[in-house]
Amino acid sequence: NAFEKDTGIKINYVRLGAGEMLARITAEKGNPLASVMHGGSTDNYIAAIKEGLLEPYQSPELANMPEQYKDKEKTWNPFYVGAISFACNKDWFKKNNLEYPKSWDDLLKPEFKGQITMAHPSTSGTSYTVLATIIQLMGEEKAWEYLAKLNANVRQYTKSGTAPPIEVGLGEAAIAITFSHDGLKPAMEGYPVELSFPNEGTGFEVGAVALIKGGIEKEQENARKFIDWTLSKRGQELFIDSKSNRVPLNSTAKVTEGLIKIEDLKIIDYDAVWAGQNKKELVAKFTEKVDSAKNLKQ
């Protein structure tokens, strides 16, 4: 809405989970119906590059971005960062006289049976980051063993990574495995939600935006304007107004008060390139070994 107000350029968009977004762009490869892939973590963009789905474009606004978050292939553009967290319903924990989980292993405790909610990595970029984090942290063999045990405590898998913290806020579950910015949203809206982070280390995402290869020709100039605007100080500071709680990457932009920054957490050396290149195979293994993607809750 702000972009349309600022520029007079009208946007038509479809809101999808990152996995669904990638699947749709893949399906439309021969005749793209969209010009921009917007939001979701960079492993989706790396996977899209592998499939030949993106057109290289680097915004001039990248001059204000930290070098460590930029695309070495110079295709996609980074515009926010966020870490995986455990969003906890503080009323449930108080009622049951329990402490918040402080490690990945804590999530396996029997008292959390049926109380954990997360999205499915086949449809959600959030949960694919969770999956890739656990594999990188534990090694693949131990990771599948761990995820099978965690599955016994999972109440349900949702399509979108933003749904689990809402369920926790409403008291439908005690713990959501989610990005910290999504976990903070219900907390800032007055719901009884607080965050904790795994002490073994957590993964993180760099959110991106990119041009879709072969996108509608007459939209290309406006598509580039949209990417530039998204990375600009004006676009980045909308994270405050919209209460999306993401940490902007433009060094000139203001940040929402109280945000947990990446540098304040113990994070793993998350390999987004590896995660992007292996996404299809790892998601298939999750569906086979842990839980099918059928009948997911919206």
Side-chain angles (χ1 to χ4, degrees):
N1 290 339
F3 175 74
E4 290 183 8
K5 186 176 179 181
D6 285 358
T7 65
I9 299 168
K10 182 167 176 56
I11 295 178
N12 294 312
Y13 71 94
V14 178
R15 165 73 172 87
L16 297 167
E20 293 178 289
M21 177 170 66
L22 181 58
R24 179 158 179 167
I25 294 171
T26 302
E28 295 175 359
K29 183 176 181 179
N31 184 30
L33 300 179
S35 302
V36 175
M37 182 175 175
H38 177 259
S41 58
T42 53
D43 43 34
N44 288 286
Y45 291 76
I46 292 162
I49 291 171
K50 186 179 177 183
E51 299 296 325
L53 302 174
L54 300 182
E55 183 76 29
Y57 174 67
Q58 298 287 270
S59 170
E61 294 288 346
L62 289 173
N64 296 316
M65 305 284 181
E67 199 64 35
Q68 70 202 79
Y69 299 120
K70 295 178 185 177
D71 178 19
K72 292 181 175 62
E73 301 294 321
K74 299 188 182 300
T75 298
W76 46 262
N77 299 261
F79 70 106
Y80 67 86
V81 67
I84 295 294
S85 69
F86 308 145
C88 304
N89 184 295
K90 61 183 179 182
D91 291 347
W92 186 91
F93 277 87
K94 185 177 181 181
K95 178 183 174 183
N96 290 278
N97 196 28
L98 294 170
E99 291 187 355
Y100 296 156
K102 294 182 175 68
S103 70
W104 291 104
D105 282 343
D106 280 353
L107 297 179
L108 304 183
K109 290 180 177 179
E111 52 262 46
F112 295 148
K113 186 173 179 63
Q115 291 296 334
I116 296 175
T117 178
M118 63 181 286
H120 198 282
S122 67
T123 55
S124 162
T126 301
S127 279
Y128 181 67
T129 302
V130 174
L131 172 60
T133 294
I134 291 170
I135 291 173
Q136 291 180 46
L137 188 64
M138 302 180 185
E140 194 162 343
E141 186 177 344
K142 287 185 178 178
W144 294 123
E145 292 175 7
Y146 171 84
L147 288 162
K149 292 175 184 175
L150 178 64
N151 184 58
N153 280 0
V154 172
R155 172 178 176 264
Q156 66 183 14
Y157 295 94
T158 62
K159 281 190 175 182
S160 170
T162 59
I166 295 172
E167 292 181 352
V168 168
L170 294 172
E172 295 173 359
I175 305 164
I177 308 175
T178 185
F179 281 120
S180 57
H181 45 255
D182 290 326
L184 278 173
K185 190 170 178 64
M188 289 185 170
E189 291 171 352
Y191 291 93
V193 177
E194 292 184 343
L195 301 185
S196 69
F197 294 87
N199 54 28
E200 307 99 321
T202 193
F204 65 96
E205 73 164 343
V206 177
V209 58
L211 288 176
I212 295 171
K213 190 172 184 178
I216 300 166
E217 189 175 344
K218 66 180 181 180
E219 294 183 357
Q220 294 308 295
E221 183 182 350
N222 286 345
R224 288 179 172 83
K225 285 180 181 177
F226 175 75
I227 292 174
D228 294 345
W229 183 90
T230 299
L231 273 63
S232 71
K233 181 178 185 294
R234 158 71 169 152
Q236 296 266 276
E237 289 183 351
L238 286 176
F239 288 143
I240 301 172
D241 298 341
S242 65
K243 298 180 180 178
S244 76
N245 303 314
R246 284 161 173 77
V247 177
L249 287 179
N250 188 316
S251 60
T252 68
K254 294 176 184 174
V255 180
T256 304
E257 277 188 46
L259 282 193
I260 299 104
K261 296 184 178 181
I262 287 289
E263 52 266 32
D264 297 330
L265 299 172
K266 183 177 180 181
I267 58 168
I268 67 167
D269 186 15
Y270 186 82
D271 188 341
V273 174
W274 174 87
Q277 291 174 341
N278 291 278
K279 181 169 187 174
K280 191 180 291 185
E281 295 83 357
L282 294 177
V283 166
K285 282 186 180 180
F286 185 93
T287 298
E288 175 194 346
K289 293 175 177 288
V290 182
D291 193 270
S292 170
K294 294 178 181 178
N295 302 317
L296 296 181
K297 185 182 175 185
Q298 295 292 336

